[in-house]
Amino acid sequence: LSAVLLKTIPEAIFSNTAEAGNAGFVYTKFKWEYIARKEIKNRLAMFLGGFVAEKLIFGDDYVTTGAEGDIEKATHFVNEMLKECGMGKIPAAYHVKHMQTRQYLHDVTDKIGAEAEAWIASAMELAEKTLTEQEVLLLNMADYLSDNRTMSKEQIRKMLLQYGNNFDGKEIIE
């Protein structure tokens, strides 16, 4: 999802690690400092990709808690975008109501929470659509990672070029 939606190939993918309590993860170094509103859904879809991939491959009843960290990152990210960065319907900074936060807006009706849920639902749809379109790539990467603990940036690039559906390697941000 990082390569297809954000045009950035991860530095590495780890299917598992030796560290207790730390399963697999994707290590991506983004090259840009600012986030445009149009990137928010794509980034959320990337965060939710592992969860959505489990749903697609194993079905709803067999989704695991393995995506817990990614779900937390997605939730934190969208709330930061909406509450701190002014990327919601109203460009404002929100905070919990307290004497020291009187310079902020206070979301007492949880409209921001509802907006965050809508962003996450939309991003899940995008992740599912993208992974379905990239099913051959997804399955080949999953097969490789089932036999190997890591996949390097160059190995990812090769798979993208070989198995990616309508993937243009020239669009990658280096």
Side-chain angles (χ1 to χ4, degrees), residues 67-158:
E68 171 189 8
D70 295 335
I71 292 168
E72 187 175 321
K73 285 178 197 170
T75 305
H76 179 269
F77 174 74
V78 72
N79 276 305
E80 181 181 17
M81 293 295 104
L82 298 173
K83 292 181 178 181
E84 297 174 27
C85 298
M87 299 301 258
K89 292 177 183 171
I90 298 172
Y94 292 84
H95 212 288
V96 176
K97 193 169 188 172
H98 187 271
M99 180 75 147
Q100 296 172 334
T101 63
R102 65 178 184 246
Q103 304 303 323
Y104 292 87
L105 294 180
H106 309 290
D107 186 27
V108 293
T109 60
D110 200 30
K111 288 181 182 176
I112 298 295
E115 191 173 351
E117 287 178 356
W119 275 95
I120 289 170
S122 179
M124 281 186 55
E125 288 175 16
L126 176 61
E128 187 170 338
K129 176 181 179 267
T130 305
L131 289 175
T132 300
E133 289 171 357
Q134 299 295 337
E135 182 180 21
V136 173
L137 173 63
L138 172 64
L139 294 175
N140 276 283
M141 290 178 85
D143 183 52
Y144 180 88
L145 287 165
S146 69
D147 296 328
N148 301 277
R149 290 176 53 153
T150 64
M151 184 182 291
S152 71
K153 186 173 190 168
E154 282 312 308
Q155 291 167 316
I156 298 166
R157 184 186 310 275
K158 286 179 188 174

